[in-house]
Amino acid sequence: MADVGFYHLTRTGADEALPVLLGRTLDAGKRAVVRCATPEDAAALDDALWAVSEPVWLPHAATGGAYPERQPIWVTAEGDVPNGATFLFLAGITDMPKVEGFERVFDLFDGRDEEAVAAARLRWTALKEAGHTLTYWKQEPKGWVRAR
């Protein structure tokens, strides 16, 4: 079973919240796959991650990139995991993802979008019923607060 953290974004988009989480993932010696809702979202996130210098430069590639098996972070809009990642990041996903085979899942959703919140609630219920360990984090003016 995976540990699934729900990250309720209230002041930034996923492109601003992900760098810190991905930096911590690399610091822990883990590999990540970031699954976006659309190929356009994946391309935009790929571009945004190249511009990140704080907290750390984030080596990565996106679908179509070279040597996917070597990439510590893989950005995609598909279900592919060519880098053997054990951490799954969901950015703007509204459907129920496959979480089997992942150690940790980070579900980032836009708290300013009622449809995104409703979809996150459905994912929460389904994952809880499946027996996964769930946590809920809400973005505050400075950092995150854990609830539940």
Side-chain angles (χ1 to χ4, degrees):
M1 291 289 137
D3 287 332
V4 183
F6 282 78
Y7 290 79
H8 187 151
L9 300 169
T10 59
R11 62 179 170 80
T12 69
D15 60 329
E16 292 178 55
L18 275 168
V20 172
L21 296 170
L22 290 169
R24 290 179 183 163
T25 297
L26 296 181
D27 287 346
K30 302 293 183 173
R31 289 176 171 244
V33 62
V34 181
R35 190 161 303 142
C36 298
T38 67
E40 295 79 18
D41 291 345
L45 180 61
D46 178 36
D47 289 343
L49 291 180
W50 282 120
V52 170
S53 61
E54 290 294 326
V56 65
W57 178 71
L58 298 169
H60 71 283
T63 300
Y67 307 108
E69 68 283 353
R70 296 183 189 173
Q71 304 303 325
I73 300 169
W74 184 252
V75 180
T76 184
E78 306 296 325
D80 55 324
V81 187
N83 63 344
T86 58
F87 282 20
L88 171 63
F89 290 81
L90 304 171
I93 300 296
T94 57
D95 59 342
M96 186 62 192
K98 286 184 171 183
V99 299
E100 293 77 20
F102 290 101
E103 181 181 329
R104 291 198 57 197
V105 178
F106 302 76
D107 188 326
L108 288 78
F109 65 96
D110 186 348
R112 300 164 290 191
D113 178 342
E114 282 304 314
E115 288 181 28
V117 172
R121 286 184 182 129
L122 291 174
R123 290 190 305 277
W124 175 281
T125 300
L127 290 166
K128 185 173 184 173
E129 288 174 358
H132 297 281
T133 303
L134 306 180
T135 55
Y136 171 81
W137 297 87
K138 186 170 183 183
Q139 196 174 41
E140 295 292 331
K142 292 185 180 181
W144 298 89
V145 173
R146 183 177 174 172
R148 294 191 199 193

